[in-house]
Amino acid sequence: MSACAPTRRTTDPQQSKPVRQSHSPPPARRRFHLAGADVSAAIAVFLIALPLSLGIALATGAPLQAGLVAAAVGGIVAGRLGGSALQVSGPAAGLTVVTADLIQRYGWRTTCAITVLAGLAQLGLGCLRVARGALAVSPAIVHGMLAGIGVTIAVAQLHIVLGGTPQSSVPANLAALPAQLADLHPAALSVSALTLALLLLWPRIPGRAGRLLRKVPAALIAVAGATVAASLAGLRLPKVELPTWSSHALAGLPEGPVLGLIAAVLTTTLVCSVQSLLGAVAVDKLAASRSAPTATQAQPAPHVQRSNLDRELLGQGAANIVSGSLGGLPVAGVAVRSTANVHAGAVSRNSTMLHGVLVVVAALLMVPILELIPLASLAALVMAVGIQMVSLHHIRTVTRHREVLVYIVTTLGVVLLGVLEGVALGIAAAVGVALHRLTRTRITHEVEEGVHQIHVRGQLTFLAVPRLSRALHQVPHGADVVVELDGSFMDHAAYETLQDWQSTHTAQGGSVELTGRRASTRTAEPTASPAPGPVRSEPTGRAPVADCRCRPWTPWRNHQCEAVTSSAPQEAPTSQASLTSRAQEHQKTDIERRRTPDEPETPDTTTPTHGTISTYGTYATSVGPGSEGRRGGHHLMRGITAFQRNTAPHVRGELARLAREGQRPVQLFLTCADSRLVTSMITSSGPGDLFVVRNVGNLVPLPGEESGDDSVAAAIEYAVDVLKVRSITVCGHSGCGAMQALLKSGPGSSRTPLGRWLRHGLPSLERMADDSGSWARLAVRRPADAVEQLCLTNVVQQLEHLRAHPTVARALRENGLELHGMYFHVGEAQAYLLTDTDGEPVFDHVHAEGVEGMDELRSPA
């Protein structure tokens, strides 16, 4: 009861007087506040929804008022109760085929009852919180279903565009098309052509006038233009007929075979739910990618929360119950209206609800205007929507992911058999493709320089064990073998086969090296019983030849696989705690996710006579017995071996070209020697792109001040005069040890080599201490501390030192040489470029989209 007390006090002036809450509005007023962006977005969506709702109702064969009922209910009910704030619901083109089939089989009143039952099913699914399960459906099936529905819609509406009547199925419509083409109706065809022309040309009007005109939806312009033209020309065409609402048919008791009704409810539930949930996810992506929808407002737009899919399913179910009860079409999330809502700048669910209110007003007050619309114009509009549902982007996507077979099977199934049958065929095709990929394993055996190379591509399951065993037993006794496993899964049968063969082969004097795409390093332990999963093989007591198979740069985080090997078998391997803590600092790999942080680790205190296979790690290396571990140079040897095996084959051709033609870098990149700065990574450059000079503190000594060591000046002269670089970049970074040492330097610090070198940074220190404020700053925030301030200032100062070099000064005058300052924040992985703002040096963000005018920082490769 206490929660109601403030509301009562606000309605009574005498009781609200002593409360004095004038600084905050009452909750009741805040609830009905409408943002200006929501009002404009609601109007834009309403203008799109009105003609489309009538057109979809026409395409299904339902009463035209049913489309308006569904649009209003979808906006108000689903908009208020749904879990997606910006998704707009209503009669969807994806439901056209399903609804048309239901109306033809069971009649309109039973179709409304099926809609109500589908809404109840959605409520049940929402209560069971299974909405996320809909996302498990293959995108190829969803896109194929929508494409099949689009083809069905387009073929059916083509008959109305030509002035005829559509048939009940796509094959029947295609068979009747020649006769329809022989009996054209010029009036209907001309109105349809005008509608399609306006739909196509309106968004392409150029110039400033085009930008203003495009704010009016093309669908509204197309239907309105065709209606005006038909009225002025006096064409006699079938037009929209909206009977009085008193005669509108409502839902009745379902009549028909029970199994058929159950199948109809399941089909409607499936299509409505999947389309709405996928639409909610797509709306979240659109809302997140909106750059600044309220940049012109005095206050920033409130944050739009991500969709709650279970609540969205409940909202869609409630909307279908209400729509079916009131004699409306089934309701689902509509992509066209939702996209328009987001692009129009909507900031809350109020825009969706207001659009529904506007549909109600139009349905009550605009009936005389709506009855002027020719049916041919609406048919052309819906046909265009159907054609757009066959998306070339989706076809390219499924082709790239090798799922085009699933897409084609689903599309053809929907076109020829129906939605439910087509989806079932698509699921069967997707399962078949997945099984084919799981069982498709390629095993090859080659001999290179006396070493037997066995390559396994694909998942290693029991179905591939005969071929694996055949390939392994072709290896002679005592031979050196490398088994490369390029897959992510190994089942128990394959694991046992590989372990048994490896033990036997090493016992006969041979050596075995098991490698893969990724590896962690950890001394192998004998296992009591083999376990399926990714494998690694490594003998205790010897450093592997190449136990790191990380590919640069994609899974670069896996370079944390620090080897722990020893010549003494008594040493225990690295503890699981250290491995887990290291992994938590980066992204966990698949194998790290399989093991729990609390899983105990048992040290290996025995010396096995043969190599063993451990279930930890993705892949690693194993060699035969009798080896001794070596610590010195192990990391270098491991890295070089990994490069020669994995990277060298990919870059050998490019390096051979550079060896023939010589280096032609585009810029000189001068940066600090700090190991955290990987120049090729942060500039996306490759071999031959950058001429890199690194030193402690990215310092550029003034001419003649290097005390006999002119290495930096020589590099600058060679880069500018010989290599003809077009730009020079000085790059500093956060947490620079040289700048920290410079800040802490005192009298006598120049007696060491480091101190003598850091004296070239003293001008930066003096610049920062200058009260004139000539040191640099960040555009997005203040420097975190004095060290960061000095790092920024040092970049600016070293650029001035660069200009003092005669070679650089001459190139700036004659050749258009460009100088750039850059600051890289290591912890943020964020680069900042030096700009000049009102004469003050400012470091601004380098965004993911890139920076115009700075293309030379990007590698042409």
Side-chain angles (χ1 to χ4, degrees):
M1 296 297 293
S2 59
C4 301
T7 306
R8 291 196 187 100
R9 284 196 294 267
T10 55
T11 57
D12 190 346
Q14 295 182 356
Q15 292 184 7
S16 62
K17 205 168 187 179
V19 176
R20 298 186 183 275
Q21 292 184 344
S22 58
H23 60 280
S24 61
R29 293 183 182 177
R30 184 183 303 176
R31 184 180 306 165
F32 297 105
H33 173 71
L34 272 178
D38 283 334
V39 175
S40 60
I43 296 174
V45 175
F46 161 72
L47 296 177
I48 296 175
L50 191 63
L52 280 179
S53 300
L54 294 173
I56 292 172
L58 172 67
T60 61
L64 297 184
Q65 298 102 316
L68 300 178
V69 171
V73 172
I76 298 173
V77 178
R80 180 65 185 89
L81 302 178
S84 178
L86 301 184
Q87 177 166 245
V88 181
S89 300
L95 291 162
T96 303
V97 176
V98 176
T99 309
D101 182 63
L102 294 179
I103 294 173
Q104 186 177 5
R105 288 189 181 186
Y106 304 108
W108 172 240
R109 294 172 66 87
T110 299
T111 301
C112 293
I114 291 173
T115 302
V116 173
L117 294 176
L120 292 173
Q122 287 180 302
L123 287 181
L125 294 176
C127 292
L128 294 176
R129 307 182 68 85
V130 297
R132 288 281 172 187
L135 302 182
V137 180
S138 170
I141 297 176
V142 178
H143 298 327
M145 178 188 73
L146 295 178
I149 292 173
V151 171
T152 305
I153 292 173
V155 173
Q157 297 307 301
L158 179 60
H159 283 269
I160 302 179
V161 167
L162 298 176
T165 303
Q167 305 300 316
S168 59
S169 64
V170 174
N173 280 319
L174 292 176
L177 192 58
Q180 185 64 59
L181 291 173
D183 186 22
L184 294 177
H185 292 69
L189 184 61
S190 60
V191 170
S192 301
L194 177 60
T195 303
L196 293 175
L198 290 174
L199 272 176
L200 180 66
L201 299 177
W202 186 261
R204 291 171 172 79
I205 299 177
R208 181 178 301 177
R211 287 195 297 270
L212 294 175
L213 293 175
R214 283 196 297 270
K215 293 182 178 180
V216 183
L220 178 68
I221 292 298
V223 173
T227 301
V228 172
S231 300
L232 294 178
L235 299 178
R236 295 186 176 181
L237 292 169
K239 297 181 180 179
V240 171
E241 294 182 3
L242 294 174
T244 60
W245 287 103
S246 59
S247 61
H248 178 63
L250 303 179
L253 293 177
E255 298 178 359
V258 176
L259 293 179
L261 292 174
I262 293 175
V265 171
L266 292 179
T267 304
T268 307
T269 304
L270 171 68
V271 178
C272 288
S273 302
V274 171
Q275 183 168 344
S276 299
L277 295 177
L278 294 179
V281 174
V283 167
D284 285 343
K285 295 179 181 179
L286 283 176
S289 63
R290 253 187 338 196
S291 56
T294 56
T296 59
Q297 296 180 4
Q299 295 181 351
H303 174 68
V304 179
Q305 295 183 350
R306 294 182 63 85
S307 299
N308 182 333
L309 297 186
D310 292 309
R311 180 181 171 183
E312 179 65 19
L313 200 54
L314 292 172
Q316 295 293 333
N320 274 313
I321 292 174
V322 176
S323 179
S325 301
L326 297 179
L329 292 172
V331 171
V334 186
V336 176
R337 302 175 206 182
S338 302
T339 303
N341 193 37
V342 175
H343 288 168
V347 295
S348 71
R349 62 180 70 246
N350 292 336
S351 63
T352 302
M353 297 169 62
L354 181 58
H355 127 270
V357 173
L358 293 176
V359 172
V360 173
V361 173
L364 295 177
L365 303 180
M366 296 178 60
V367 173
I369 299 177
L370 296 178
E371 290 183 338
L372 297 176
I373 301 175
L375 295 183
S377 178
L378 294 179
L381 176 64
V382 176
M383 186 181 72
V385 173
I387 294 173
Q388 292 172 355
M389 292 174 70
V390 186
S391 171
L392 294 178
H393 171 70
H394 292 161
I395 295 175
R396 286 193 294 265
T397 300
V398 298
T399 303
R400 186 169 62 250
H401 292 283
R402 296 182 300 169
E403 293 184 338
V404 67
L405 176 63
V406 179
Y407 180 91
I408 293 175
V409 168
T410 308
T411 302
L412 293 179
V414 171
V415 169
L416 300 176
L417 302 176
V419 174
L420 192 61
E421 294 83 355
V423 170
L425 287 176
I427 294 175
V431 172
V433 170
L435 290 176
H436 174 69
R437 291 176 179 175
L438 184 63
T439 58
R440 183 184 180 185
T441 306
R442 181 184 177 189
I443 302 175
T444 60
H445 179 202
E446 301 173 353
V447 181
E448 298 179 2
E449 300 178 356
V451 179
H452 292 258
Q453 305 277 349
I454 297 179
H455 302 272
V456 181
R457 301 287 185 269
Q459 318 309 318
L460 203 50
T461 65
F462 67 95
L463 296 174
V465 165
R467 285 180 290 147
L468 175 65
S469 179
R470 190 180 306 116
L472 293 175
H473 284 85
Q474 290 177 358
V475 179
H477 298 316
D480 296 331
V481 185
V482 175
V483 180
E484 182 178 350
L485 304 173
D486 192 357
S488 59
F489 176 76
M490 175 186 295
D491 71 358
H492 190 95
Y495 183 87
E496 272 196 345
T497 301
L498 193 58
Q499 185 191 44
D500 293 343
W501 172 84
Q502 186 261 353
S503 299
T504 303
H505 189 76
T506 53
Q508 295 172 347
S511 66
V512 180
E513 178 184 342
L514 268 72
T515 64
R517 289 180 298 175
R518 299 191 299 265
S520 58
T521 54
R522 172 176 169 267
T523 304
E525 306 168 22
T527 53
S529 61
V535 297
R536 69 174 288 190
S537 175
E538 180 181 347
T540 305
R542 171 171 176 174
V545 176
D547 53 0
C548 181
R549 298 281 293 174
C550 306
R551 287 181 179 176
W553 290 99
T554 338
W556 177 79
R557 61 182 182 273
N558 290 329
H559 279 286
Q560 288 69 254
C561 45
E562 187 174 342
V564 182
T565 55
S566 172
S567 59
Q570 290 83 1
E571 287 195 23
T574 303
S575 66
Q576 178 66 28
S578 64
L579 288 171
T580 304
S581 62
R582 186 183 301 119
Q584 288 174 347
E585 296 172 3
H586 305 273
Q587 297 181 13
K588 290 186 176 181
T589 62
D590 292 339
I591 302 306
E592 287 166 341
R593 284 193 290 268
R594 291 191 183 101
R595 289 180 62 129
T596 60
D598 300 327
E599 184 177 347
E601 184 107 15
T602 305
D604 181 19
T605 57
T606 62
T607 306
T609 57
H610 313 304
T612 57
I613 300 179
S614 167
T615 57
Y616 182 83
T618 310
Y619 300 115
T621 311
S622 175
V623 291
S627 303
E628 296 181 358
R630 297 189 301 270
R631 286 185 180 274
H634 166 66
H635 292 285
L636 178 63
M637 178 181 64
R638 182 186 66 187
I640 293 175
T641 306
F643 166 79
Q644 292 298 145
R645 176 173 294 144
N646 301 319
T647 309
H650 298 287
V651 300
R652 186 171 287 120
E654 176 66 12
L655 292 178
R657 183 188 66 81
L658 291 172
R660 293 191 305 269
E661 301 176 1
Q663 62 169 328
R664 288 180 293 181
V666 295
Q667 71 169 291
L668 166 62
F669 198 87
L670 197 150
T671 188
C672 185
D674 194 292
S675 62
R676 297 167 294 182
L677 259 69
V678 186
T679 56
S680 58
M681 182 173 66
I682 64 177
T683 59
S684 297
S685 56
D689 293 334
L690 302 180
F691 187 73
V692 182
V693 176
R694 307 186 70 149
N695 60 51
V696 177
N698 49 276
L699 300 177
V700 181
L702 288 167
E705 292 191 7
E706 290 193 62
S707 302
D709 180 10
D710 295 329
S711 61
V712 177
I716 294 172
E717 181 180 349
Y718 184 78
V720 175
D721 290 344
V722 179
L723 298 178
K724 306 295 184 183
V725 296
R726 298 195 297 269
S727 66
I728 302 177
T729 300
V730 176
C731 177
H733 67 96
S734 62
C736 181
M739 298 300 103
Q740 297 178 35
L742 193 59
L743 282 172
K744 298 176 182 178
S745 61
S749 60
S750 61
R751 297 174 184 175
T752 65
L754 178 61
R756 287 193 295 272
W757 171 253
L758 288 180
R759 75 180 188 276
H760 301 301
L762 291 176
S764 302
L765 196 60
E766 296 170 358
R767 185 188 189 100
M768 190 179 76
D770 190 359
D771 294 335
S772 64
S774 57
W775 36 264
R777 63 179 178 85
L778 290 169
V780 294
R781 58 174 174 83
R782 293 182 178 180
D785 49 28
V787 175
E788 186 171 49
Q789 181 63 74
L790 183 56
C791 292
L792 297 170
T793 307
N794 182 59
V795 173
V796 179
Q797 185 64 38
Q798 301 312 313
L799 286 173
E800 291 193 2
H801 289 185
L802 262 177
R803 295 185 182 92
H805 281 261
T807 302
V808 176
R810 182 175 62 256
L812 287 172
R813 292 193 308 270
E814 300 174 358
N815 302 330
L817 179 69
E818 297 180 0
L819 302 183
H820 303 296
M822 179 176 168
Y823 175 73
F824 184 77
H825 194 287
V826 177
E828 299 174 356
Q830 176 65 55
Y832 298 83
L833 281 182
L834 179 62
T835 59
D836 188 82
T837 304
D838 297 331
E840 183 179 5
V842 177
F843 287 84
D844 203 356
H845 267 119
V846 177
H847 301 285
E849 294 82 10
V851 179
E852 296 182 1
M854 294 295 292
D855 290 337
E856 67 274 6
L857 285 178
R858 282 180 269 171
S859 167

